[in-house]
Coordinates of all heavy atoms in Angstrom, one line a residue:
M1358 N 69.6 24.7 71.5 CA 69.6 23.5 70.6 C 68.6 23.8 69.5 O 67.4 24.0 69.8 CB 69.2 22.3 71.4 CG 69.2 21.0 70.7 SD 69.0 19.7 71.8 CE 67.9 18.7 70.9
S1359 N 69.1 23.6 68.3 CA 68.3 23.9 67.1 C 67.9 22.6 66.4 O 68.7 21.7 66.3 CB 69.0 24.8 66.2 OG 68.4 24.9 64.9
T1360 N 66.6 22.5 66.0 CA 66.3 21.3 65.3 C 65.8 21.7 63.9 O 65.1 22.8 63.8 CB 65.1 20.5 65.9 OG1 64.0 21.4 66.1 CG2 65.5 20.0 67.3
E1361 N 66.3 21.0 62.9 CA 65.8 21.4 61.6 C 64.5 20.7 61.2 O 64.3 19.6 61.7 CB 67.0 20.9 60.6 CG 68.2 21.7 60.7 CD 69.3 21.3 59.7 OE1 68.9 21.0 58.6 OE2 70.4 21.2 60.1
V1362 N 63.8 21.3 60.4 CA 62.5 20.7 60.0 C 62.6 20.3 58.6 O 63.1 21.1 57.7 CB 61.3 21.8 60.2 CG1 60.0 21.2 59.7 CG2 61.2 22.1 61.7
K1363 N 62.2 19.1 58.3 CA 62.2 18.6 56.9 C 60.8 18.4 56.4 O 59.8 18.4 57.3 CB 63.1 17.4 56.7 CG 62.5 16.1 57.5 CD 63.4 14.9 57.3 CE 62.8 13.8 58.0 NZ 63.6 12.6 57.8
H1364 N 60.6 18.2 55.2 CA 59.2 18.0 54.7 C 58.7 16.6 55.1 O 59.4 15.6 55.1 CB 59.2 18.0 53.1 CG 59.5 19.4 52.6 ND1 58.6 20.4 52.7 CD2 60.6 20.0 52.1 CE1 59.1 21.6 52.2 NE2 60.4 21.3 51.8
A1365 N 57.5 16.6 55.5 CA 56.8 15.4 55.9 C 56.4 14.5 54.7 O 56.2 15.0 53.6 CB 55.6 15.7 56.8
A1366 N 56.3 13.2 55.0 CA 55.8 12.3 54.0 C 54.4 12.6 53.7 O 53.7 13.2 54.6 CB 56.0 10.9 54.5
P1367 N 53.8 12.3 52.6 CA 52.5 12.5 52.3 C 51.6 11.9 53.4 O 51.8 10.8 53.8 CB 52.2 11.9 51.0 CG 53.6 11.8 50.3 CD 54.5 11.6 51.4
K1368 N 50.5 12.5 53.8 CA 49.6 12.0 54.8 C 48.6 11.1 54.3 O 48.2 11.2 53.1 CB 48.8 13.2 55.5 CG 49.7 14.3 56.0 CD 50.3 13.8 57.3 CE 51.1 14.9 58.0 NZ 52.0 14.5 59.0
T1369 N 48.2 10.1 55.1 CA 47.1 9.2 54.8 C 45.8 9.9 54.9 O 45.8 11.0 55.4 CB 47.1 8.0 55.7 OG1 46.8 8.4 57.0 CG2 48.5 7.2 55.7
A1370 N 44.8 9.3 54.4 CA 43.4 9.9 54.4 C 43.0 10.1 55.9 O 42.4 11.2 56.2 CB 42.4 9.0 53.7
S1371 N 43.3 9.2 56.7 CA 42.9 9.4 58.1 C 43.7 10.5 58.9 O 43.2 11.2 59.7 CB 43.0 8.1 58.9 OG 44.3 7.7 59.2
E1372 N 45.0 10.6 58.5 CA 45.8 11.7 59.0 C 45.3 13.0 58.6 O 45.3 14.0 59.4 CB 47.3 11.5 58.7 CG 47.9 10.3 59.4 CD 49.3 10.0 58.8 OE1 49.6 10.2 57.6 OE2 50.2 9.6 59.6
K1373 N 44.9 13.1 57.3 CA 44.4 14.4 56.8 C 43.1 14.7 57.5 O 42.8 15.9 57.9 CB 44.1 14.3 55.3 CG 45.4 14.3 54.5 CD 45.0 14.3 53.0 CE 46.3 14.4 52.2 NZ 46.0 14.4 50.7
Q1374 N 42.2 13.7 57.7 CA 40.9 13.9 58.4 C 41.2 14.4 59.8 O 40.5 15.2 60.3 CB 40.1 12.7 58.4 CG 38.7 12.9 58.9 CD 38.0 14.0 58.1 OE1 37.9 13.9 56.9 NE2 37.3 14.9 58.8
Q1375 N 42.2 13.8 60.5 CA 42.5 14.2 61.8 C 42.9 15.7 61.9 O 42.5 16.5 62.7 CB 43.7 13.4 62.4 CG 43.4 12.5 63.5 CD 44.6 11.8 64.0 OE1 45.6 11.7 63.3 NE2 44.6 11.4 65.2
G1376 N 43.7 16.1 60.9 CA 44.1 17.5 60.8 C 42.8 18.5 60.6 O 42.7 19.5 61.2
I1377 N 42.0 18.0 59.7 CA 40.8 18.8 59.4 C 39.9 18.9 60.7 O 39.4 20.0 61.1 CB 39.9 18.1 58.3 CG1 40.7 18.2 56.9 CG2 38.5 18.7 58.2 CD1 40.2 17.4 55.9
D1378 N 39.8 17.8 61.4 CA 39.0 17.8 62.6 C 39.6 18.7 63.7 O 38.9 19.4 64.4 CB 38.8 16.3 63.1 CG 37.9 15.5 62.3 OD1 37.2 16.0 61.4 OD2 38.1 14.2 62.4
N1379 N 40.9 18.7 63.8 CA 41.6 19.5 64.8 C 41.4 21.0 64.5 O 41.2 21.8 65.3 CB 43.1 19.2 64.9 CG 43.4 17.9 65.7 OD1 42.6 17.6 66.6 ND2 44.4 17.3 65.5
H1380 N 41.5 21.3 63.2 CA 41.3 22.7 62.7 C 39.8 23.2 63.1 O 39.6 24.2 63.6 CB 41.5 23.0 61.3 CG 42.9 23.1 60.9 ND1 43.7 24.1 61.4 CD2 43.7 22.3 60.1 CE1 44.9 24.0 60.9 NE2 45.0 22.8 60.2
K1381 N 38.9 22.3 62.8 CA 37.5 22.6 63.1 C 37.3 22.7 64.6 O 36.5 23.6 65.1 CB 36.5 21.5 62.6 CG 36.4 21.6 61.1 CD 35.5 20.5 60.6 CE 35.3 20.6 59.1 NZ 34.3 19.6 58.6
K1382 N 37.9 21.8 65.4 CA 37.8 21.9 66.9 C 38.4 23.2 67.4 O 37.8 23.9 68.2 CB 38.6 20.7 67.4 CG 38.3 20.4 68.9 CD 39.1 19.2 69.4 CE 38.6 17.9 68.7 NZ 39.3 16.7 69.3
A1383 N 39.6 23.6 66.9 CA 40.2 24.8 67.3 C 39.3 26.0 67.0 O 39.1 26.9 67.8 CB 41.6 25.0 66.7
A1384 N 38.8 26.0 65.8 CA 37.9 27.2 65.4 C 36.6 27.2 66.3 O 36.2 28.3 66.7 CB 37.4 27.0 63.9
M1385 N 36.0 26.1 66.6 CA 34.8 26.1 67.4 C 35.2 26.6 68.8 O 34.4 27.4 69.3 CB 34.3 24.6 67.5 CG 33.0 24.5 68.3 SD 33.1 24.3 70.1 CE 34.2 22.8 70.3
H1386 N 36.3 26.2 69.4 CA 36.7 26.7 70.7 C 36.9 28.2 70.7 O 36.6 28.9 71.6 CB 37.8 25.9 71.3 CG 37.4 24.5 71.8 ND1 36.5 24.4 72.8 CD2 37.8 23.3 71.4 CE1 36.4 23.1 73.0 NE2 37.1 22.4 72.1
L1387 N 37.6 28.7 69.6 CA 37.9 30.1 69.5 C 36.6 30.9 69.4 O 36.5 32.0 70.0 CB 38.8 30.4 68.4 CG 40.2 29.9 68.5 CD1 41.0 30.0 67.2 CD2 41.0 30.7 69.6
E1388 N 35.6 30.3 68.6 CA 34.3 31.0 68.5 C 33.6 31.1 69.9 O 33.0 32.1 70.2 CB 33.5 30.3 67.4 CG 34.0 30.5 66.0 CD 33.4 29.6 65.0 OE1 32.6 28.6 65.4 OE2 33.6 29.8 63.8
Q1389 N 33.6 30.0 70.6 CA 33.0 29.9 71.9 C 33.7 31.0 72.9 O 33.1 31.6 73.6 CB 33.1 28.5 72.5 CG 32.1 27.6 71.8 CD 30.6 28.0 72.0 OE1 30.2 28.3 73.1 NE2 29.9 28.1 70.9
A1390 N 35.0 31.0 72.8 CA 35.8 31.9 73.6 C 35.4 33.4 73.3 O 35.1 34.1 74.3 CB 37.3 31.8 73.4
A1391 N 35.3 33.7 72.1 CA 34.8 35.0 71.7 C 33.4 35.3 72.2 O 33.2 36.4 72.7 CB 34.9 35.2 70.1
K1392 N 32.5 34.3 72.1 CA 31.2 34.5 72.6 C 31.1 34.8 74.1 O 30.5 35.7 74.5 CB 30.3 33.3 72.3 CG 28.9 33.3 72.7 CD 28.2 32.0 72.5 CE 27.9 31.5 73.9 NZ 27.4 30.1 74.0
H1393 N 31.9 34.1 74.8 CA 32.0 34.3 76.2 C 32.6 35.6 76.6 O 32.2 36.3 77.6 CB 32.7 33.1 77.0 CG 31.9 31.9 77.0 ND1 30.7 31.7 77.6 CD2 32.1 30.7 76.4 CE1 30.2 30.5 77.4 NE2 31.1 29.9 76.7
H1394 N 33.6 36.1 75.8 CA 34.2 37.4 76.1 C 33.2 38.4 75.8 O 33.1 39.4 76.6 CB 35.5 37.6 75.2 CG 36.7 37.0 75.7 ND1 37.3 37.3 77.0 CD2 37.5 36.0 75.2 CE1 38.4 36.6 77.2 NE2 38.5 35.8 76.1
H1395 N 32.4 38.3 74.7 CA 31.4 39.4 74.5 C 30.4 39.4 75.6 O 29.9 40.5 76.0 CB 30.7 39.1 73.1 CG 31.5 39.4 71.9 ND1 31.8 40.7 71.6 CD2 32.1 38.6 71.0 CE1 32.6 40.7 70.5 NE2 32.7 39.5 70.1
E1396 N 30.0 38.2 76.1 CA 29.0 38.1 77.2 C 29.6 38.7 78.4 O 28.9 39.5 79.1 CB 28.7 36.7 77.4 CG 27.6 36.5 78.5 CD 26.2 36.9 78.2 OE1 26.0 37.4 77.0 OE2 25.4 36.9 79.0
A1397 N 30.9 38.5 78.7 CA 31.5 39.1 79.9 C 31.5 40.6 79.8 O 31.3 41.3 80.8 CB 33.0 38.5 80.0
A1398 N 31.8 41.1 78.6 CA 31.9 42.6 78.4 C 30.5 43.2 78.7 O 30.3 44.2 79.4 CB 32.4 42.9 77.1
R1399 N 29.4 42.5 78.2 CA 28.1 43.0 78.4 C 27.7 42.9 79.8 O 27.2 43.9 80.4 CB 27.1 42.1 77.6 CG 25.6 42.6 77.6 CD 24.7 41.7 77.0 NE 24.6 40.4 77.6 CZ 24.0 40.1 78.8 NH1 23.3 41.1 79.4 NH2 23.9 38.9 79.2
L1400 N 28.0 41.8 80.5 CA 27.7 41.7 81.9 C 28.4 42.8 82.8 O 27.9 43.3 83.7 CB 28.0 40.3 82.5 CG 27.1 39.2 81.9 CD1 27.6 37.9 82.2 CD2 25.7 39.4 82.5
L1401 N 29.7 43.0 82.4 CA 30.4 44.0 83.2 C 29.8 45.4 83.0 O 29.7 46.2 84.0 CB 31.9 44.1 82.7 CG 32.9 43.2 83.4 CD1 34.2 43.2 82.7 CD2 33.0 43.5 84.9
S1402 N 29.4 45.7 81.8 CA 28.8 47.0 81.5 C 27.5 47.2 82.3 O 27.1 48.3 82.6 CB 28.6 47.2 80.0 OG 27.5 46.4 79.5
E1403 N 26.8 46.1 82.6 CA 25.6 46.1 83.4 C 25.8 46.0 84.8 O 24.8 46.0 85.6 CB 24.6 45.0 82.9 CG 24.2 45.2 81.4 CD 23.4 43.9 80.9 OE1 23.3 42.9 81.7 OE2 23.0 43.9 79.8
G1404 N 27.0 45.9 85.3 CA 27.4 45.8 86.7 C 27.3 44.5 87.3 O 27.3 44.3 88.5
H1405 N 27.3 43.4 86.5 CA 27.3 42.0 87.0 C 28.7 41.4 87.0 O 29.0 40.6 86.2 CB 26.3 41.2 86.2 CG 24.9 41.7 86.1 ND1 24.1 41.6 87.2 CD2 24.2 42.2 85.1 CE1 22.9 42.1 86.8 NE2 23.0 42.6 85.5
D1406 N 29.5 41.9 87.9 CA 30.9 41.5 87.9 C 31.2 40.0 88.1 O 32.0 39.5 87.5 CB 31.7 42.3 89.0 CG 31.7 43.8 88.8 OD1 31.1 44.3 87.8 OD2 32.3 44.5 89.6
E1407 N 30.4 39.4 89.1 CA 30.6 38.0 89.3 C 30.2 37.1 88.1 O 31.0 36.2 87.8 CB 29.8 37.5 90.5 CG 30.4 38.0 91.8 CD 29.7 37.5 93.1 OE1 29.1 36.4 93.0 OE2 29.8 38.1 94.1
K1408 N 29.1 37.4 87.5 CA 28.7 36.7 86.3 C 29.7 36.9 85.2 O 30.1 35.9 84.4 CB 27.4 37.1 85.8 CG 26.2 36.6 86.7 CD 24.9 37.1 86.2 CE 23.7 36.6 87.1 NZ 22.4 37.1 86.6
A1409 N 30.2 38.1 85.0 CA 31.2 38.4 84.0 C 32.5 37.6 84.3 O 33.1 37.1 83.3 CB 31.5 39.9 84.0
C1410 N 32.9 37.4 85.5 CA 34.0 36.7 85.9 C 33.9 35.2 85.4 O 34.8 34.6 84.9 CB 34.3 36.8 87.4 SG 35.8 35.9 87.9
G1411 N 32.7 34.7 85.6 CA 32.4 33.3 85.1 C 32.5 33.2 83.7 O 33.1 32.2 83.2
C1412 N 32.0 34.1 83.0 CA 32.1 34.1 81.5 C 33.6 34.2 81.1 O 34.0 33.5 80.1 CB 31.3 35.3 80.9 SG 29.6 34.9 80.9
G1413 N 34.3 35.0 81.8 CA 35.8 35.1 81.5 C 36.5 33.8 81.7 O 37.4 33.4 80.9
A1414 N 36.1 33.1 82.7 CA 36.8 31.7 83.0 C 36.4 30.7 81.9 O 37.2 30.0 81.5 CB 36.2 31.2 84.4
K1415 N 35.1 30.8 81.5 CA 34.7 29.9 80.4 C 35.5 30.2 79.1 O 35.9 29.3 78.4 CB 33.2 30.0 80.1 CG 32.3 29.4 81.2 CD 30.9 29.7 80.9 CE 30.0 29.2 82.0 NZ 28.6 29.5 81.8
A1416 N 35.7 31.5 78.9 CA 36.4 31.9 77.6 C 37.8 31.4 77.7 O 38.4 30.9 76.7 CB 36.4 33.5 77.5
D1417 N 38.4 31.5 78.9 CA 39.8 31.1 79.1 C 39.9 29.6 78.9 O 40.8 29.1 78.2 CB 40.3 31.4 80.5 CG 41.7 31.2 80.7 OD1 42.5 31.5 79.8 OD2 42.1 30.6 81.7
G1418 N 38.9 28.8 79.3 CA 38.9 27.3 79.1 C 38.8 27.0 77.7 O 39.5 26.1 77.2
H1419 N 38.0 27.7 76.9 CA 37.9 27.4 75.5 C 39.1 27.8 74.7 O 39.6 27.1 73.8 CB 36.7 28.2 74.9 CG 35.4 27.5 75.1 ND1 35.0 26.3 74.5 CD2 34.4 27.8 75.9 CE1 33.9 25.9 74.9 NE2 33.4 26.8 75.8
S1420 N 39.8 28.9 75.2 CA 41.1 29.3 74.6 C 42.1 28.2 74.8 O 42.9 27.9 73.9 CB 41.6 30.6 75.2 OG 40.7 31.7 74.9
I1421 N 42.1 27.6 76.0 CA 43.1 26.6 76.3 C 42.9 25.4 75.4 O 43.8 24.8 74.8 CB 43.1 26.2 77.8 CG1 43.7 27.3 78.6 CG2 43.8 24.9 78.0 CD1 43.4 27.2 80.1
L1422 N 41.6 25.0 75.2 CA 41.3 23.9 74.4 C 41.6 24.1 72.9 O 42.1 23.2 72.2 CB 39.8 23.5 74.5 CG 39.4 23.0 75.9 CD1 37.9 22.8 76.0 CD2 40.2 21.6 76.2
A1423 N 41.4 25.4 72.5 CA 41.7 25.7 71.1 C 43.3 25.6 70.9 O 43.8 25.1 69.9 CB 41.3 27.1 70.8
K1424 N 44.0 26.1 71.9 CA 45.5 26.1 71.8 C 45.9 24.6 71.7 O 46.9 24.3 70.9 CB 46.1 26.7 73.0 CG 47.5 27.0 72.9 CD 47.7 28.3 72.1 CE 48.7 29.2 72.8 NZ 49.1 30.3 71.9
K1425 N 45.3 23.7 72.4 CA 45.7 22.3 72.4 C 45.5 21.7 71.0 O 46.3 20.9 70.5 CB 45.0 21.5 73.4 CG 45.5 21.7 74.9 CD 44.7 20.9 75.8 CE 45.2 21.1 77.2 NZ 44.5 20.3 78.3
A1426 N 44.4 22.0 70.4 CA 44.1 21.5 69.1 C 45.0 22.1 68.1 O 45.5 21.4 67.2 CB 42.6 21.8 68.7
Q1427 N 45.4 23.3 68.2 CA 46.4 24.0 67.3 C 47.7 23.3 67.4 O 48.4 23.0 66.5 CB 46.5 25.5 67.6 CG 45.2 26.2 67.1 CD 45.3 27.7 67.6 OE1 45.8 28.0 68.7 NE2 44.7 28.5 66.9
K1428 N 48.1 23.0 68.7 CA 49.4 22.4 69.0 C 49.5 21.0 68.3 O 50.5 20.6 67.8 CB 49.7 22.3 70.5 CG 51.1 22.1 70.8 CD 51.3 22.3 72.3 CE 52.7 22.1 72.7 NZ 52.9 22.3 74.1
K1429 N 48.4 20.3 68.4 CA 48.3 18.9 67.8 C 48.6 19.0 66.3 O 49.4 18.2 65.8 CB 47.0 18.3 68.0 CG 46.9 17.4 69.2 CD 45.5 16.7 69.2 CE 45.2 15.9 70.4 NZ 43.9 15.3 70.4
N1430 N 48.0 20.0 65.7 CA 48.2 20.2 64.2 C 49.6 20.5 63.9 O 50.2 20.0 63.0 CB 47.2 21.2 63.6 CG 45.9 20.6 63.3 OD1 45.8 19.4 63.1 ND2 44.9 21.4 63.1
L1431 N 50.2 21.4 64.7 CA 51.5 21.8 64.4 C 52.5 20.6 64.6 O 53.4 20.5 63.8 CB 52.0 22.9 65.4 CG 51.4 24.3 65.1 CD1 51.8 25.3 66.1 CD2 51.9 24.8 63.7
K1432 N 52.3 19.8 65.6 CA 53.1 18.6 65.8 C 53.0 17.7 64.6 O 53.9 17.1 64.2 CB 52.7 17.9 67.0 CG 53.3 18.6 68.3 CD 52.9 17.7 69.5 CE 53.5 18.4 70.8 NZ 53.2 17.6 72.0
N1433 N 51.7 17.5 64.1 CA 51.5 16.6 63.0 C 52.1 17.1 61.7 O 52.4 16.4 60.8 CB 50.0 16.3 62.8 CG 49.5 15.5 64.0 OD1 50.2 14.8 64.6 ND2 48.2 15.6 64.2
M1434 N 52.2 18.4 61.5 CA 52.7 19.0 60.3 C 54.2 19.1 60.3 O 54.8 19.0 59.2 CB 52.2 20.5 60.1 CG 50.7 20.5 59.7 SD 50.2 22.2 59.2 CE 49.7 22.9 60.8
A1435 N 54.9 19.1 61.4 CA 56.3 19.3 61.5 C 56.9 17.9 61.8 O 56.5 17.1 62.6 CB 56.7 20.2 62.6
V1436 N 58.0 17.6 61.0 CA 58.7 16.4 61.2 C 60.2 16.8 61.4 O 60.8 17.5 60.6 CB 58.7 15.4 60.0 CG1 59.6 14.3 60.1 CG2 57.2 15.0 59.7
T1437 N 60.7 16.4 62.6 CA 62.1 16.8 62.9 C 63.0 15.7 62.5 O 62.7 14.5 62.4 CB 62.2 17.1 64.4 OG1 61.8 15.9 65.2 CG2 61.4 18.3 64.8
K1438 N 64.3 16.1 62.3 CA 65.4 15.1 61.9 C 65.7 14.3 63.2 O 65.7 14.7 64.2 CB 66.6 15.8 61.5 CG 66.6 16.2 60.1 CD 68.0 16.7 59.7 CE 68.1 16.9 58.2 NZ 69.4 17.4 57.9

């Protein structure tokens, strides 16, 4: 089933601000995920496998939250027929 996408109506100021906030939220979570991945790599190289696993889990959580914020923006940008 295919849905066509048409141009959305101009956004209100609060809708634009929501989009800006979602982009900032996604960026923050991606930065945190990267930080935790770097920390996990460092811990693994030092032989701290359990601590590295914890950092990996934190990174995964931030990645999920970033994906949710990105998905919100995509839904707000696309208008289907």
Side-chain angles (χ1 to χ4, degrees):
M1358 182 171 139
S1359 170
T1360 57
E1361 293 183 37
V1362 177
K1363 64 180 181 177
H1364 293 285
K1368 302 286 184 196
T1369 65
S1371 73
E1372 288 172 326
K1373 284 183 182 181
Q1374 188 59 49
Q1375 247 183 337
I1377 293 166
D1378 292 343
N1379 280 333
H1380 280 297
K1381 287 181 178 182
K1382 194 180 294 184
M1385 184 272 303
H1386 284 298
L1387 290 170
E1388 289 166 353
Q1389 288 297 309
K1392 180 186 115 186
H1393 288 298
H1394 278 300
H1395 284 294
E1396 181 70 5
R1399 183 186 65 76
L1400 288 167
L1401 272 176
S1402 71
E1403 294 173 358
H1405 302 290
D1406 295 3
E1407 286 185 27
K1408 288 181 181 180
C1410 184
C1412 286
K1415 288 177 186 177
D1417 190 44
H1419 280 290
S1420 295
I1421 290 168
L1422 294 172
K1424 193 80 134 171
K1425 285 182 181 181
Q1427 290 171 324
K1428 194 171 187 178
K1429 268 187 186 179
N1430 272 344
L1431 287 175
K1432 281 183 180 180
N1433 290 339
M1434 285 190 271
V1436 177
T1437 58
K1438 276 187 169 181

